[in-house]
Amino acid sequence: MSQDQQVKAQGGILEGGNPSEYDPKNPVVLFIIQVWLLFASPKQHPNQAINANIVYPRVIAEVIGGILLGPSVLGRVPGFTNAIFPAESIPVLSLAANLGLILFLFLIGLEVDLRLLISNWKVALSVGVAGLALPFGLGLAIAYGLYHQFREEAGLADVDFGTYILFVGVAMGITAFPVLCRILSELNLLQTQVGVIVLSAGVGNDVVGWILLALCVALVNSGAGLTALWILLVCVGYVLFLVYAVRPAFLWILNRTGSLQHGPTQSILGLTILMVLASSFFTSIIGVHAIFGAFLIGLICPHNKGFAIKVAEKIEDLVTVLLLPLYFALSGLSTNLGLLDSGITWAYVIGVIAVAFFGKVIGGTLAARLTKLVWRESFTIGVLMSCKGLVELIVLNIGYQARILSQRTFTIFVVMALVTTFATTPLVSFLYPPWYQKKLAAWKRGDIDWEGNTKQTPDESIAEDATLAQSKDPGVEVRKLLVCLGLDSLPSLFTFVTLLGYDQAQPPQPRTHPSRTTDDKKPATKNSSEVTDFSPLHNRPLEVHGLRLLELTERLSSVMQESEIAEWSSRDPVVNVLHTFGQLNNVAVSGEVQFVAEGAYPDVIGERAQHHESDFILLPWSKSGSVSEITTLGAPELEQSVFHNSAYNQLVTKLLASAPCDTAVFVNNGFGGLPKEASQGLSLIPTSLSPRADEFSRTPALDRSHHIFVPFFGGSDDRLAVRFAMRLAKNPNVTATILLMSHAATYQNADVEAPANQDKIINSEPQEAATNSDNEQAFFYSVKDSLPDQMQSRVVFDDFNAPQTLPNVVERAAKETKTSSPSAANLIIVGRNSLQSKRAEQADDVTQALGKCAKAMISADVTASVLVIQSSRELRHRRSTRHFDPLKPSKHRA
């Protein structure tokens, strides 16, 4: 046997084999090494942060990683390129990268919802056309210099000037719609007016840009103008075929298999991918790039009932995590910064950046201004439209592969794409920060003037304290309640709403069959007493708005869910359960779903509370100890971790620090559901074969009573806690104990500091002194005196005469909850700032979030839920003392 016919050693490195040596019969070894190196660049997160204010998309890190591995840096090391990226291995790497590109363009097509473009076509047309026309025109001007300066370089095809300027115009005018969606999501702008306008214009800009690019590629690939015309006509016919033949047939299959209603099965997903590959094959063989076929299949996929979102969820991770980064890393490998070696070249670099950036900004800004937006909003839209990102890199690679661009001009445009993409987020954060969004929203509502000055209103506390003694209703008035919905908190929330809405409940009225209402067998008129129990919405004293917050991740499907939020809210099961509850209990309810980043939860809750003019926010403490609704059963140690997630504790603290109205945080322990003890440990799962399966069924509770305990130390929070307890006590199933704390002994606890006088602020914080002063006693006894007769037997006001260290108060609370019925759902209501710690800045996260008194109640063995209340008056006092107003920034930012 000759040496050439010998079988290659199979021992690998054990027989001295070199794993970096390329083997055409087994290319996977070197391919894995190349992937390792490409993934070693700093891109482990979807958005990289240089600091808190500068965030850049992952595509930038991927391209920079490729540049570092390419001829610009490591490629200059002798032997590195030949060893790691030999020329014969690039086709394998390119094959995987282009497959990822095809699937990604399909995902982009899924992300583009043409319904958004149709519903906002006027503003999309103005901003999109101006944002594309001006940079396109300026690109034609600079293309003249680029064409004549670099057309003699090696590797270029014989491209006429018309085709060249068309390509440069597209490269200057196109907007990166996928990156744009992620930037809007990161900055919480998707549901704002700015976000809707940018998305609408971005959809139109993207579609037109891809059409022009397809035209450009067709012109390059055709040998004559007549061939290019035939290519375009075939493309038009193919689009019509997809829209009027393929899409109806695809919809029929989806309805027939139930995939439209329940999500794609494996067979349907396989059929969809086959359609993508077939369409890519067709557009490629007719002389247009394969990505256009994939993009068209994404466009015709239905968005009804979340089908497009569910398809994206199935394939996005493999594409965006593995395949697509290879494509952009290859862009970096093709970029050679060493070619930018002359003054004229750098002059064109600066010129291309200026044309691409200012053309988009000026065009988008002027068009947005014509839609009657303020200048700052208009500039924000212009900057967002200048984002290039990965779509620009795809365009440039197509131009490079078609030999429209040389390696030098390709590098010039890559630098432009990196600079414009990198600059978008910090510029938008500077032009449209959260404080300005709040100020602009308040100005548009008419709450403030343009200078940020609010209307002067008298101190509500004076009016409340002066009239409380004359009032016959000591309960707090809650007309518009905002509740944060979650799967684990629905039972307790429904219990609260039932208690708050008790005074509007009406007994059911007997009904008569419609055929027997009148002699002529017509339904009764509006004046008939038969319909008087249907209270109109505007007469109902309690309105409840449910807000379900879901975490917005880096996934494409998550961004698509956010852009289709209205349809998603109508399908959400938790929101629909809330609607059903409202209909059954005669409560006016509404609900919505919001996809937001975890750190933005407090801001979104406050913004939605202001939008709905809510006067009370109810936030259930998460049973998982995080913003996620996912809980793990059978792990008792997780009960302790519920309060040891510092990130979640800080979110609650941030919400309470910025809440626009009265706010309560609810820590559940069997209020409207099973107590903690009932859910701990392992339990049997009943089956039809279980000998005692009937014991697992639960009969309705005969005892629906609730006992409320309120320790009253004083201050705005405690006064609100007492009045909220009085509101709940209107229900005849509720009993309550209001305990007045005396001043002398309250501060025997060494960690609690008594205020020297009523006006001092403890630890530089505006906390109303928790004392038995005349004002606090007057409030306590005025509530007691105004108690209605029907509540006298159920509500007890008492003075606590025992030594009032905090442990004694907790012991009294435990005794109160134990003396009630064992099956009763007990509740302890405390003010957040009831007690002020001497070492507040050193307190743990739970104490900072809920207060010292609430922390003591939660830590103790008290069989009751805890409701921590913060008054908005207390919060306004804090802000006025700190000279802070979120709607009115400091003068150096104005």
Side-chain angles (χ1 to χ4, degrees), residues 857-874:
M857 297 291 182
I858 294 170
S859 302
D861 186 19
V862 178
T863 58
S865 303
V866 178
L867 185 70
V868 184
I869 286 186
Q870 175 181 271
S871 170
S872 59
R873 189 191 316 159
E874 174 71 25

Side-chain angles (χ1 to χ4, degrees), residues 637-884:
E637 64 275 7
L638 291 180
E639 294 292 339
Q640 298 298 327
S641 64
V642 167
F643 299 100
H644 288 79
N645 187 334
S646 59
Y648 183 77
N649 298 343
Q650 291 171 7
L651 286 180
V652 175
T653 303
K654 182 180 178 182
L655 170 63
L656 293 172
S658 59
C661 59
D662 298 337
T663 306
V665 179
F666 177 66
V667 181
N668 188 25
N669 183 17
F671 193 81
L674 293 177
K676 291 181 182 179
E677 291 78 11
S679 60
Q680 289 184 356
L682 297 176
S683 60
L684 296 176
I685 300 176
T687 67
S688 58
L689 301 179
S690 301
R692 295 162 52 188
D694 56 329
E695 295 185 8
F696 290 93
S697 62
R698 295 182 57 86
T699 58
L702 298 178
D703 186 2
R704 299 182 180 180
S705 63
H706 306 277
H707 184 68
I708 299 175
F709 175 73
V710 184
F712 180 69
F713 296 92
S716 297
D717 292 350
D718 278 24
R719 289 199 294 271
L720 179 62
V722 171
R723 299 193 64 199
F724 191 81
M726 293 299 98
R727 173 64 186 263
L728 298 179
K730 291 182 179 181
N731 191 297
N733 291 322
V734 176
T735 59
T737 299
I738 315 297
L739 204 61
L740 175 64
M741 302 298 166
S742 61
H743 169 55
T746 299
Y747 298 97
Q748 290 181 15
N749 189 338
D751 192 35
V752 180
E753 179 179 1
N757 55 62
Q758 294 284 347
D759 300 324
K760 266 194 176 176
I761 299 173
I762 301 174
N763 293 332
S764 301
E765 295 288 340
Q767 169 64 34
E768 295 188 44
T771 70
N772 62 345
S773 63
D774 293 339
N775 291 336
E776 301 302 343
Q777 285 190 358
F779 173 84
F780 180 83
Y781 288 110
S782 64
V783 174
K784 180 179 180 180
D785 295 339
S786 61
L787 195 66
D789 294 338
Q790 62 269 24
M791 296 172 60
Q792 294 286 344
S793 61
R794 294 184 289 104
V795 180
V796 174
F797 291 82
D798 193 11
D799 291 339
F800 196 30
N801 298 320
Q804 295 177 24
T805 59
L806 189 55
N808 288 339
V809 177
V810 174
E811 182 180 356
R812 173 63 184 271
K815 181 180 178 181
E816 285 280 341
T817 55
K818 287 182 180 179
T819 55
S820 60
S821 173
S823 62
N826 302 318
L827 181 65
I828 299 173
I829 304 180
V830 298
R832 183 189 180 214
N833 297 286
S834 294
L835 297 174
Q836 183 68 37
S837 173
K838 293 179 181 179
R839 299 182 294 273
E841 68 281 355
Q842 302 176 4
D844 58 85
D845 293 335
V846 179
T847 303
Q848 291 181 7
L850 303 179
K852 184 174 180 61
C853 185
K855 171 64 182 302
M857 297 291 182
I858 294 170
S859 302
D861 186 19
V862 178
T863 58
S865 303
V866 178
L867 185 70
V868 184
I869 286 186
Q870 175 181 271
S871 170
S872 59
R873 189 191 316 159
E874 174 71 25
L875 190 59
R876 289 195 299 269
H877 189 185
R878 287 172 178 263
R879 290 171 177 169
S880 63
T881 305
R882 294 179 183 176
H883 302 285
F884 170 76

Side-chain angles (χ1 to χ4, degrees), residues 115-127:
R115 295 175 299 180
L116 182 65
L117 177 62
I118 295 173
S119 59
N120 300 279
W121 68 272
K122 290 184 179 180
V123 64
L125 182 64
S126 60
V127 176

Side-chain angles (χ1 to χ4, degrees), residues 164-314:
Y164 188 84
I165 62 174
L166 178 62
F167 176 83
V168 173
V170 172
M172 293 294 186
I174 202 166
T175 297
F177 183 77
V179 177
L180 193 61
C181 288
R182 283 153 184 78
I183 291 176
L184 292 173
S185 301
E186 182 71 24
L187 300 178
N188 300 312
L189 296 177
L190 268 179
Q191 299 302 317
T192 64
Q193 187 178 17
V194 168
V196 172
I197 291 176
V198 170
L199 283 182
S200 304
V203 169
N205 193 296
D206 230 23
V207 173
V208 174
W210 288 119
I211 293 174
L212 293 177
L213 183 61
L215 173 62
C216 183
V217 173
L219 291 174
V220 173
N221 292 335
S222 61
L226 184 60
T227 304
L229 178 61
W230 280 113
I231 292 175
L232 293 179
L233 291 177
V234 171
C235 285
V236 172
Y238 180 61
V239 171
L240 296 177
F241 172 73
L242 289 178
V243 172
Y244 293 105
V246 176
R247 189 173 191 274
F250 189 48
L251 284 173
W252 181 84
I253 294 175
L254 294 180
N255 285 309
R256 185 70 180 267
T257 60
S259 297
L260 195 62
Q261 294 79 14
H262 308 294
T265 62
Q266 287 187 346
S267 300
I268 293 298
L269 186 62
L271 174 62
T272 305
I273 294 178
L274 285 177
M275 290 170 57
V276 172
L277 296 178
S279 182
S280 300
F281 170 77
F282 181 78
T283 55
S284 179
I285 64 174
I286 66 173
V288 185
H289 201 281
I291 64 173
F292 298 104
F295 180 73
L296 291 174
I297 296 298
L299 284 180
I300 68 170
C301 279
H303 287 251
N304 306 29
K305 301 181 181 180
F307 177 80
I309 296 174
K310 295 171 184 176
V311 171
E313 289 175 341
K314 301 287 186 179

Side-chain angles (χ1 to χ4, degrees), residues 131-145:
L132 181 63
L134 184 58
F136 190 90
L138 295 176
L140 300 183
I142 200 171
Y144 180 85

